[in-house]
Amino acid sequence: PKEDSFISQLHSTISKFGAFDVELISPATPYQISRAMPSLGHTLIQETPSLYKNVVQPFIQNVIDSGSISWIQNLIEVKKEKERLLVNHEEFIINIDTKWRSHPPPLTTPREEWLNHPSTVDLYCLGIVKASGIATLRDLRQKHVPLLKSMAEEGLSAIKRVYGVDNDQVRIF
């Protein structure tokens, strides 16, 4: 009854505007709801050393101390999302980012089918450093350059091997 009406309305909408993806989460936490809400726009803030030290750094430390980023440790230790892992190096991992919505379902689609898949136009991977002392770009120093180069090389190699995407077609940032 109520569900049938919703499904009928959804089908009618899809027919008018074409296909699109919908993610339904139930029950949703307040955090999940806030992430899904449209943003009010962007404000450019020039971060000064003082602003970083007095506002940003304490905020980052609070997030770390709260344990709300334990999901990162689970990824690094390959306890979660094993099916998304592309590279597991002693210093870093490279995963398929969950923002890459058009990627074939990693749990049900064999990796061989990922090669030259149409979704590679939306390629979106995530590199995470395993070193605990690197929380932001500001923590990177010259000594980390070899790590970053290795990350880029291994990532590009995996992307070429798994997806067939050439290095000159990948943006790394």
Side-chain angles (χ1 to χ4, degrees):
K2 194 174 186 180
E3 292 88 14
D4 292 341
S5 172
F6 173 76
I7 291 170
S8 175
Q9 184 179 3
L10 182 61
H11 178 70
S12 172
T13 304
I14 291 171
S15 299
K16 287 180 190 173
F17 299 106
F20 55 90
D21 290 327
V22 176
E23 180 180 11
L24 301 175
I25 301 173
S26 177
T29 65
Y31 176 73
Q32 290 168 319
I33 293 169
S34 71
R35 282 188 60 192
M37 297 298 290
S39 77
L40 300 175
H42 301 282
T43 303
L44 186 61
I45 297 173
Q46 185 170 352
E47 184 182 89
T48 63
S50 173
L51 183 62
Y52 179 77
K53 180 182 176 197
N54 297 318
V55 178
V56 177
Q57 197 170 29
F59 174 79
I60 291 169
Q61 193 58 52
N62 186 44
V63 170
I64 292 169
D65 293 343
S66 75
S68 66
I69 57 171
S70 61
W71 63 272
I72 294 174
Q73 197 59 39
N74 288 332
L75 291 179
I76 289 171
E77 295 173 4
V78 195
K79 291 180 179 177
K80 299 282 185 178
E81 300 187 23
K82 295 174 191 165
E83 68 281 0
R84 295 180 167 278
L85 185 65
L86 298 175
V87 175
N88 188 2
H89 185 275
E90 65 185 50
E91 295 182 288
F92 58 84
I93 62 166
I94 299 177
N95 269 20
I96 304 163
D97 197 299
T98 56
K99 291 181 183 99
W100 185 0
R101 303 276 186 195
S102 64
H103 191 284
L107 281 172
T108 58
T109 308
R111 284 203 177 205
E112 303 82 52
E113 293 181 27
W114 299 0
L115 186 63
N116 300 314
H117 193 276
S119 71
T120 59
V121 298
D122 300 321
L123 182 74
Y124 204 125
C125 298
L126 174 66
I128 301 175
V129 176
K130 292 181 178 181
S132 61
I134 302 175
T136 71
L137 288 173
R138 285 191 177 267
D139 296 324
L140 293 172
R141 300 289 179 261
Q142 185 171 354
K143 69 181 181 181
H144 298 115
V145 170
L147 163 71
L148 297 172
K149 285 182 177 181
S150 178
M151 205 173 191
E153 290 168 8
E154 296 256 355
L156 289 170
S157 176
I159 288 168
K160 175 67 175 166
R161 184 179 64 256
V162 175
Y163 300 106
V165 177
D166 291 326
N167 295 0
D168 63 353
Q169 299 299 304
V170 178
R171 286 185 296 160
I172 300 174
F173 53 92

